[in-house]
Amino acid sequence: MNAQIQIDDTARQRAAYYDRISQSSLTPLWEVLGALVPKQPNSPAVGALWKYADIRDYVMEAGRLITAEEAERRVLILENPAMRGNSSITQTLYAGLQLILPGEIAPAHRHTQSALRLVLDGEGAYTAVDGERTTMKRGDFIITPAWTYHDHGNLGDTPVVWLDGLDIPLLRFFDAGFAEHGHTVAQSELRPEGDALARYGNNMLPMDFQQTSAQPTKVFVYPFARTRESLLSIARTAADPHMGHKLRFVNPATGASPMPTMGAFAQHLPAGFETQSYRSTDGTVYACLEGEGVAEINGEAFPFQPNDVFVVPSWHTLRLQARKDTILFSYSDRPAQQSLGLWREQKL
Ligand code: GTQ
Protein backbone atom coordinates (compact mmCIF):
# COMPACT_ATOMS: atom_id res chain seq x y z
CA MET A 1 0.00 0.00 0.00
CA ASN A 2 1.30 2.65 1.60
CA ALA A 3 4.03 4.40 -0.15
CA GLN A 4 1.49 5.92 -2.57
CA ILE A 5 -0.96 6.80 0.17
CA GLN A 6 1.87 8.36 2.12
CA ILE A 7 2.84 10.56 -0.85
CA ASP A 8 -0.75 11.62 -1.49
CA ASP A 9 -1.14 12.42 2.16
CA THR A 10 2.01 14.54 2.22
CA ALA A 11 0.93 16.39 -0.92
CA ARG A 12 -2.48 17.09 0.62
CA GLN A 13 -0.96 18.33 3.87
CA ARG A 14 1.40 20.60 1.99
CA ALA A 15 -1.33 21.99 -0.26
CA ALA A 16 -3.53 22.72 2.75
CA TYR A 17 -0.58 24.38 4.46
CA TYR A 18 0.17 26.52 1.37
CA ASP A 19 -3.49 27.61 1.33
CA ARG A 20 -3.41 28.59 4.99
CA ILE A 21 -0.18 30.59 4.82
CA SER A 22 -1.31 32.22 1.57
CA GLN A 23 -3.92 34.11 3.59
CA SER A 24 -1.00 35.84 5.33
CA SER A 25 0.63 36.61 1.95
CA LEU A 26 3.26 33.93 2.43
CA THR A 27 4.50 31.41 -0.09
CA PRO A 28 7.05 28.57 0.25
CA LEU A 29 10.39 29.23 -1.40
CA TRP A 30 11.06 25.53 -2.08
CA GLU A 31 8.27 25.42 -4.66
CA VAL A 32 9.85 28.24 -6.72
CA LEU A 33 13.56 28.16 -5.90
CA GLY A 34 14.63 26.60 -9.20
CA ALA A 35 12.87 29.34 -11.18
CA LEU A 36 14.08 32.13 -8.90
CA VAL A 37 17.71 31.08 -8.93
CA PRO A 38 18.08 29.34 -12.30
CA LYS A 39 21.19 27.43 -13.33
CA GLN A 40 21.34 29.72 -16.34
CA PRO A 41 19.22 32.55 -17.75
CA ASN A 42 15.79 31.35 -18.80
CA SER A 43 14.26 34.37 -20.50
CA PRO A 44 10.51 34.42 -21.07
CA ALA A 45 11.26 36.33 -24.29
CA VAL A 46 11.59 34.50 -27.62
CA GLY A 47 13.57 35.25 -30.74
CA ALA A 48 11.42 37.18 -33.22
CA LEU A 49 11.67 39.24 -36.40
CA TRP A 50 9.52 42.03 -37.79
CA LYS A 51 9.73 42.35 -41.59
CA TYR A 52 9.49 46.02 -42.44
CA ALA A 53 7.70 45.20 -45.69
CA ASP A 54 4.94 43.52 -43.67
CA ILE A 55 4.38 46.32 -41.15
CA ARG A 56 5.19 49.54 -43.03
CA ASP A 57 1.56 49.91 -44.17
CA TYR A 58 0.33 49.60 -40.56
CA VAL A 59 2.75 52.33 -39.51
CA MET A 60 1.53 54.59 -42.32
CA GLU A 61 -2.10 53.81 -41.45
CA ALA A 62 -1.51 55.16 -37.93
CA GLY A 63 -0.67 58.44 -39.65
CA ARG A 64 -4.25 58.64 -40.91
CA LEU A 65 -5.82 57.74 -37.56
CA ILE A 66 -4.06 60.06 -35.13
CA THR A 67 -1.79 63.11 -35.34
CA ALA A 68 1.69 63.11 -33.85
CA GLU A 69 0.68 65.92 -31.53
CA GLU A 70 -2.44 64.12 -30.29
CA ALA A 71 -0.55 60.87 -29.80
CA GLU A 72 2.42 62.76 -28.29
CA ARG A 73 4.51 59.97 -29.81
CA ARG A 74 2.92 58.08 -32.73
CA VAL A 75 4.57 54.71 -32.30
CA LEU A 76 3.76 51.07 -32.92
CA ILE A 77 5.42 49.08 -30.17
CA LEU A 78 7.28 45.90 -31.15
CA GLU A 79 6.19 43.49 -28.45
CA ASN A 80 7.97 40.25 -27.87
CA PRO A 81 5.46 37.61 -29.08
CA ALA A 82 5.87 35.65 -25.83
CA MET A 83 5.35 38.72 -23.61
CA ARG A 84 2.31 40.44 -25.12
CA GLY A 85 0.79 43.31 -23.18
CA ASN A 86 4.08 44.32 -21.57
CA SER A 87 5.28 46.91 -24.11
CA SER A 88 8.59 45.01 -23.98
CA ILE A 89 10.79 43.42 -26.62
CA THR A 90 13.01 41.92 -23.87
CA GLN A 91 12.58 42.01 -20.09
CA THR A 92 14.46 45.34 -19.91
CA LEU A 93 14.07 46.89 -23.36
CA TYR A 94 11.39 48.59 -25.38
CA ALA A 95 11.34 48.95 -29.17
CA GLY A 96 8.91 50.80 -31.41
CA LEU A 97 8.54 52.31 -34.85
CA GLN A 98 7.78 56.02 -34.70
CA LEU A 99 6.16 57.88 -37.59
CA ILE A 100 6.22 61.62 -38.19
CA LEU A 101 4.51 63.12 -41.22
CA PRO A 102 5.57 66.26 -43.11
CA GLY A 103 4.75 69.36 -41.10
CA GLU A 104 4.14 67.48 -37.85
CA ILE A 105 5.69 68.01 -34.45
CA ALA A 106 6.13 65.50 -31.64
CA PRO A 107 6.11 67.88 -28.69
CA ALA A 108 9.01 68.50 -26.32
CA HIS A 109 9.19 66.42 -23.18
CA ARG A 110 11.73 64.74 -20.98
CA HIS A 111 11.77 61.61 -18.89
CA THR A 112 14.07 59.48 -16.81
CA GLN A 113 13.91 56.77 -19.47
CA SER A 114 16.83 56.90 -21.89
CA ALA A 115 15.99 56.73 -25.59
CA LEU A 116 17.81 55.98 -28.81
CA ARG A 117 16.66 56.33 -32.40
CA LEU A 118 17.78 54.61 -35.57
CA VAL A 119 16.45 56.32 -38.68
CA LEU A 120 15.00 53.80 -41.14
CA ASP A 121 12.76 55.41 -43.75
CA GLY A 122 12.21 58.86 -45.27
CA GLU A 123 14.14 62.07 -44.79
CA GLY A 124 13.72 65.63 -43.60
CA ALA A 125 12.82 65.05 -39.96
CA TYR A 126 14.83 66.38 -37.08
CA THR A 127 15.30 65.54 -33.43
CA ALA A 128 16.14 68.37 -31.04
CA VAL A 129 18.01 67.47 -27.85
CA ASP A 130 18.63 70.11 -25.21
CA GLY A 131 18.23 72.97 -27.67
CA GLU A 132 20.15 71.57 -30.66
CA ARG A 133 18.61 70.02 -33.73
CA THR A 134 19.95 67.23 -35.86
CA THR A 135 18.52 66.37 -39.26
CA MET A 136 17.75 62.67 -39.25
CA LYS A 137 19.30 60.75 -42.12
CA ARG A 138 18.84 57.05 -42.76
CA GLY A 139 21.03 54.97 -40.46
CA ASP A 140 21.81 57.87 -38.12
CA PHE A 141 21.94 56.81 -34.48
CA ILE A 142 20.58 59.53 -32.22
CA ILE A 143 20.29 59.50 -28.44
CA THR A 144 18.23 61.35 -25.91
CA PRO A 145 19.83 60.63 -22.55
CA ALA A 146 17.73 60.48 -19.38
CA TRP A 147 16.07 63.78 -18.44
CA THR A 148 17.12 65.68 -21.57
CA TYR A 149 14.39 67.62 -23.34
CA HIS A 150 13.65 66.32 -26.82
CA ASP A 151 11.15 66.99 -29.58
CA HIS A 152 10.84 65.82 -33.15
CA GLY A 153 9.58 67.54 -36.27
CA ASN A 154 9.37 66.84 -39.99
CA LEU A 155 10.33 69.73 -42.27
CA GLY A 156 10.56 67.51 -45.35
CA ASP A 157 7.94 66.16 -47.71
CA THR A 158 8.07 62.43 -46.95
CA PRO A 159 6.87 60.45 -43.93
CA VAL A 160 9.81 59.56 -41.68
CA VAL A 161 10.02 56.36 -39.67
CA TRP A 162 12.61 55.47 -37.11
CA LEU A 163 13.24 52.71 -34.59
CA ASP A 164 12.88 53.87 -30.98
CA GLY A 165 14.83 51.96 -28.35
CA LEU A 166 14.16 52.79 -24.72
CA ASP A 167 14.86 51.30 -21.30
CA ILE A 168 11.17 51.66 -20.36
CA PRO A 169 10.76 48.14 -18.84
CA LEU A 170 13.96 48.54 -16.82
CA LEU A 171 12.79 51.83 -15.31
CA ARG A 172 9.34 50.38 -14.70
CA PHE A 173 11.03 47.57 -12.78
CA PHE A 174 12.89 50.10 -10.64
CA ASP A 175 9.70 52.21 -10.26
CA ALA A 176 11.90 55.17 -11.13
CA GLY A 177 9.96 56.79 -13.97
CA PHE A 178 9.36 60.54 -14.06
CA ALA A 179 8.32 62.65 -17.04
CA GLU A 180 7.33 66.21 -17.77
CA HIS A 181 6.24 68.28 -20.73
CA GLY A 182 8.39 71.06 -22.09
CA HIS A 183 7.35 74.69 -21.62
CA THR A 184 6.91 75.00 -25.37
CA VAL A 185 5.82 72.45 -27.99
CA ALA A 186 9.16 72.79 -29.81
CA GLN A 187 12.37 73.78 -28.05
CA SER A 188 13.98 77.02 -29.13
CA GLU A 189 17.28 76.51 -30.91
CA LEU A 190 20.11 77.37 -28.55
CA ARG A 191 22.94 76.21 -30.81
CA PRO A 192 23.29 75.70 -34.56
CA GLU A 193 23.01 72.21 -36.01
CA GLY A 194 26.28 70.29 -35.79
CA ASP A 195 27.62 72.27 -32.83
CA ALA A 196 27.89 69.36 -30.38
CA LEU A 197 29.49 67.07 -32.96
CA ALA A 198 32.08 69.74 -33.84
CA ARG A 199 32.97 70.49 -30.22
CA TYR A 200 32.76 67.02 -28.66
CA GLY A 201 32.64 64.48 -31.48
CA ASN A 202 35.73 65.02 -33.59
CA ASN A 203 38.60 63.76 -31.40
CA MET A 204 38.75 67.09 -29.57
CA LEU A 205 37.07 68.63 -26.55
CA PRO A 206 36.63 72.24 -25.44
CA MET A 207 39.68 73.46 -23.46
CA ASP A 208 37.89 73.66 -20.12
CA PHE A 209 35.54 70.67 -20.54
CA GLN A 210 35.38 68.06 -17.79
CA GLN A 211 32.85 65.27 -18.12
CA THR A 212 31.21 64.49 -14.79
CA SER A 213 29.44 61.18 -14.32
CA ALA A 214 26.13 62.95 -13.60
CA GLN A 215 26.27 64.84 -16.90
CA PRO A 216 24.82 63.25 -20.04
CA THR A 217 27.07 62.88 -23.08
CA LYS A 218 27.27 65.99 -25.25
CA VAL A 219 27.38 64.02 -28.48
CA PHE A 220 23.84 62.99 -29.32
CA VAL A 221 24.10 62.03 -32.99
CA TYR A 222 26.32 59.40 -34.58
CA PRO A 223 25.91 60.01 -38.33
CA PHE A 224 25.64 56.84 -40.39
CA ALA A 225 28.05 58.24 -42.98
CA ARG A 226 30.84 58.14 -40.35
CA THR A 227 29.80 54.77 -38.92
CA ARG A 228 29.66 53.25 -42.38
CA GLU A 229 33.06 54.65 -43.31
CA SER A 230 34.63 53.03 -40.24
CA LEU A 231 32.93 49.69 -40.85
CA LEU A 232 33.92 49.57 -44.51
CA SER A 233 37.50 50.48 -43.64
CA ILE A 234 37.91 47.75 -41.05
CA ALA A 235 36.10 45.35 -43.38
CA ARG A 236 39.39 45.23 -45.32
CA THR A 237 40.93 43.34 -42.39
CA ALA A 238 40.13 39.88 -41.05
CA ALA A 239 36.69 39.48 -39.50
CA ASP A 240 36.23 38.25 -35.93
CA PRO A 241 34.71 34.74 -36.13
CA HIS A 242 31.86 35.59 -33.73
CA MET A 243 31.25 39.26 -34.49
CA GLY A 244 32.36 40.01 -38.01
CA HIS A 245 33.53 43.63 -37.90
CA LYS A 246 31.72 45.03 -34.89
CA LEU A 247 32.20 48.32 -33.07
CA ARG A 248 30.45 49.86 -30.08
CA PHE A 249 29.29 53.45 -29.92
CA VAL A 250 30.83 55.50 -27.10
CA ASN A 251 30.71 58.83 -25.39
CA PRO A 252 33.97 60.17 -26.89
CA ALA A 253 34.78 62.05 -23.68
CA THR A 254 34.87 58.87 -21.60
CA GLY A 255 34.98 55.81 -23.85
CA ALA A 256 31.95 54.48 -22.00
CA SER A 257 28.58 53.69 -23.52
CA PRO A 258 26.78 56.89 -24.59
CA MET A 259 24.06 56.12 -22.06
CA PRO A 260 24.43 54.05 -18.88
CA THR A 261 21.53 51.64 -19.35
CA MET A 262 21.72 50.85 -23.08
CA GLY A 263 24.66 50.16 -25.36
CA ALA A 264 24.60 50.41 -29.14
CA PHE A 265 26.68 48.65 -31.74
CA ALA A 266 27.27 48.53 -35.48
CA GLN A 267 28.69 45.62 -37.41
CA HIS A 268 29.66 44.69 -40.92
CA LEU A 269 29.45 41.15 -42.24
CA PRO A 270 31.02 40.44 -45.63
CA ALA A 271 28.88 38.64 -48.21
CA GLY A 272 29.00 34.91 -47.51
CA PHE A 273 30.31 35.33 -43.96
CA GLU A 274 28.83 33.17 -41.19
CA THR A 275 29.46 33.96 -37.55
CA GLN A 276 30.16 31.23 -35.07
CA SER A 277 27.57 30.62 -32.38
CA TYR A 278 27.53 33.17 -29.60
CA ARG A 279 25.39 34.00 -26.61
CA SER A 280 25.43 36.69 -23.95
CA THR A 281 23.23 37.81 -21.10
CA ASP A 282 22.23 41.07 -22.74
CA GLY A 283 19.09 40.54 -24.81
CA THR A 284 19.75 42.45 -28.04
CA VAL A 285 17.62 44.19 -30.64
CA TYR A 286 19.03 44.29 -34.18
CA ALA A 287 18.06 46.34 -37.22
CA CYS A 288 19.40 45.66 -40.71
CA LEU A 289 20.64 48.78 -42.48
CA GLU A 290 22.24 47.23 -45.56
CA GLY A 291 22.47 43.82 -47.18
CA GLU A 292 20.57 40.71 -46.24
CA GLY A 293 21.06 37.46 -44.43
CA VAL A 294 19.73 35.04 -41.88
CA ALA A 295 19.75 35.29 -38.10
CA GLU A 296 19.62 31.84 -36.53
CA ILE A 297 18.32 32.28 -32.97
CA ASN A 298 18.36 29.12 -30.83
CA GLY A 299 18.30 27.15 -34.08
CA GLU A 300 15.35 29.00 -35.64
CA ALA A 301 16.13 30.83 -38.91
CA PHE A 302 14.95 34.41 -39.41
CA PRO A 303 15.79 35.82 -42.87
CA PHE A 304 16.31 39.59 -42.74
CA GLN A 305 16.48 42.46 -45.21
CA PRO A 306 16.98 46.21 -44.82
CA ASN A 307 14.81 47.83 -42.12
CA ASP A 308 13.83 44.48 -40.61
CA VAL A 309 14.14 44.33 -36.82
CA PHE A 310 14.88 41.19 -34.84
CA VAL A 311 15.43 40.38 -31.18
CA VAL A 312 17.84 37.90 -29.62
CA PRO A 313 16.84 37.34 -25.97
CA SER A 314 19.34 36.80 -23.17
CA TRP A 315 21.43 33.62 -23.46
CA HIS A 316 19.85 32.65 -26.79
CA THR A 317 22.40 31.37 -29.26
CA LEU A 318 22.93 33.61 -32.27
CA ARG A 319 24.46 32.70 -35.61
CA LEU A 320 24.45 35.32 -38.36
CA GLN A 321 24.83 34.54 -42.04
CA ALA A 322 25.29 37.36 -44.54
CA ARG A 323 23.99 36.78 -48.05
CA LYS A 324 25.33 40.16 -49.20
CA ASP A 325 27.67 42.71 -47.61
CA THR A 326 25.60 43.52 -44.56
CA ILE A 327 25.47 46.27 -41.96
CA LEU A 328 23.56 45.69 -38.72
CA PHE A 329 22.81 48.12 -35.93
CA SER A 330 22.01 46.73 -32.48
CA TYR A 331 21.28 47.83 -28.93
CA SER A 332 21.10 46.04 -25.61
CA ASP A 333 21.20 46.50 -21.84
CA ARG A 334 24.84 45.41 -21.73
CA PRO A 335 26.22 48.54 -19.97
CA ALA A 336 23.60 48.26 -17.23
CA GLN A 337 24.55 44.62 -16.66
CA GLN A 338 28.26 45.41 -16.80
CA SER A 339 28.01 48.16 -14.22
CA LEU A 340 26.31 45.65 -11.91
CA GLY A 341 28.97 43.03 -12.62
CA LEU A 342 26.43 40.66 -14.19
CA TRP A 343 27.25 40.53 -17.88
CA ARG A 344 28.53 37.26 -19.33
CA GLU A 345 29.15 35.97 -22.82
CA GLN A 346 29.96 32.59 -24.28
CA LYS A 347 31.70 31.97 -27.56
CA LEU A 348 30.61 28.55 -28.74
O1 GTQ B 1 10.33 59.88 -28.32
O2 GTQ B 1 10.27 60.34 -26.22
O3 GTQ B 1 8.74 55.20 -28.59
O4 GTQ B 1 8.85 58.94 -24.64
C1 GTQ B 1 8.22 55.83 -26.37
C2 GTQ B 1 8.24 56.79 -25.38
C3 GTQ B 1 9.34 57.34 -27.86
C4 GTQ B 1 10.04 59.60 -27.15
C5 GTQ B 1 8.76 56.12 -27.60
C6 GTQ B 1 8.83 58.02 -25.62
C7 GTQ B 1 9.39 58.28 -26.87
Side-chain angles (χ1 to χ4, degrees):
M1 92 154 216
N2 300 338
Q4 188 55 45
I5 289 174
Q6 191 80 49
I7 289 166
D8 290 350
D9 205 38
T10 303
R12 248 194 315 278
Q13 280 175 8
R14 286 181 186 171
Y17 167 74
Y18 298 164
D19 281 348
R20 271 186 291 122
I21 66 172
S22 178
Q23 288 160 35
S24 297
S25 302
L26 297 170
T27 199
L29 170 63
W30 57 88
E31 293 288 339
V32 291
L33 183 59
L36 287 184
V37 186
K39 286 211 165 68
Q40 59 176 45
N42 184 22
S43 177
V46 292
L49 177 136
W50 289 261
K51 288 207 82 57
Y52 191 66
D54 292 345
I55 58 177
R56 185 178 190 274
D57 284 349
Y58 291 141
V59 174
M60 295 302 160
E61 201 176 334
R64 299 191 287 274
L65 289 174
I66 190 165
T67 65
E69 200 154 353
E70 191 189 351
E72 188 161 346
R73 294 294 184 267
R74 191 206 283 116
V75 179
L76 296 186
I77 303 172
L78 307 182
E79 285 198 319
N80 193 285
M83 298 165 62
R84 297 302 310 276
N86 276 310
S87 303
S88 303
I89 193 161
T90 69
Q91 290 270 56
T92 57
L93 298 176
Y94 162 104
L97 292 180
Q98 181 159 173
L99 168 69
I100 187 154
L101 296 173
E104 285 191 324
I105 281 177
H109 70 189
R110 64 177 177 175
H111 35 71
T112 46
Q113 290 81 4
S114 300
L116 61 84
R117 335 271 167 200
L118 181 78
V119 185
L120 294 179
D121 197 0
E123 52 190 49
Y126 67 84
T127 291
V129 180
D130 269 347
E132 184 178 329
R133 281 184 182 180
T134 186
T135 302
M136 303 171 85
K137 292 190 273 311
R138 185 165 184 282
D140 285 357
F141 163 53
I142 295 160
I143 60 171
T144 54
W147 213 238
T148 53
Y149 277 113
H150 53 282
D151 55 86
H152 315 287
N154 186 345
L155 305 173
D157 49 20
T158 59
V160 175
V161 178
W162 64 78
L163 175 69
D164 274 332
L166 288 92
D167 55 7
I168 285 173
L170 182 65
L171 267 79
R172 179 172 59 197
F173 180 72
F174 285 132
D175 281 334
F178 289 91
E180 60 188 29
H181 292 284
H183 304 294
T184 51
V185 174
Q187 300 177 67
S188 32
E189 271 189 83
L190 303 178
R191 290 176 300 282
E193 175 155 1
D195 192 78
L197 209 51
R199 287 179 201 274
Y200 304 94
N202 202 16
N203 300 321
M204 293 176 281
L205 291 170
M207 291 297 286
D208 54 0
F209 177 72
Q210 289 272 318
Q211 174 89 45
T212 69
S213 56
Q215 208 179 28
T217 170
K218 299 281 189 181
V219 171
F220 66 96
V221 56
Y222 299 78
F224 185 51
R226 290 193 187 181
T227 303
R228 192 172 186 278
E229 191 185 354
S230 287
L231 291 177
L232 295 186
S233 292
I234 63 174
R236 295 194 290 256
T237 66
D240 178 272
H242 294 87
M243 304 287 152
H245 304 97
K246 187 168 183 176
L247 298 171
R248 60 188 173 93
F249 292 96
V250 298
N251 173 351
T254 62
S257 168
M259 299 188 290
T261 52
M262 292 184 291
F265 315 91
Q267 77 199 98
H268 177 275
L269 304 168
F273 189 78
E274 289 187 21
T275 64
Q276 289 178 23
S277 294
Y278 174 85
R279 62 183 175 179
S280 60
T281 52
D282 54 324
T284 306
V285 180
Y286 288 81
C288 174
L289 285 170
E290 292 183 8
E292 62 176 59
V294 178
E296 194 186 293
I297 306 170
N298 269 7
E300 190 179 348
F302 296 93
F304 62 78
Q305 289 180 319
N307 290 3
D308 293 352
V309 177
F310 59 93
V311 58
V312 183
S314 168
W315 219 238
H316 282 48
T317 303
L318 174 66
R319 252 163 38 94
L320 291 166
Q321 299 160 27
R323 296 252 158 90
K324 300 179 179 169
D325 282 351
T326 293
I327 295 181
L328 298 175
F329 169 88
S330 55
Y331 69 96
S332 80
D333 60 5
R334 176 168 144 162
Q337 292 198 22
Q338 284 178 320
S339 63
L340 297 170
L342 301 176
W343 183 75
R344 286 201 201 186
E345 66 179 344
Q346 190 176 29
K347 293 175 176 173
L348 298 157

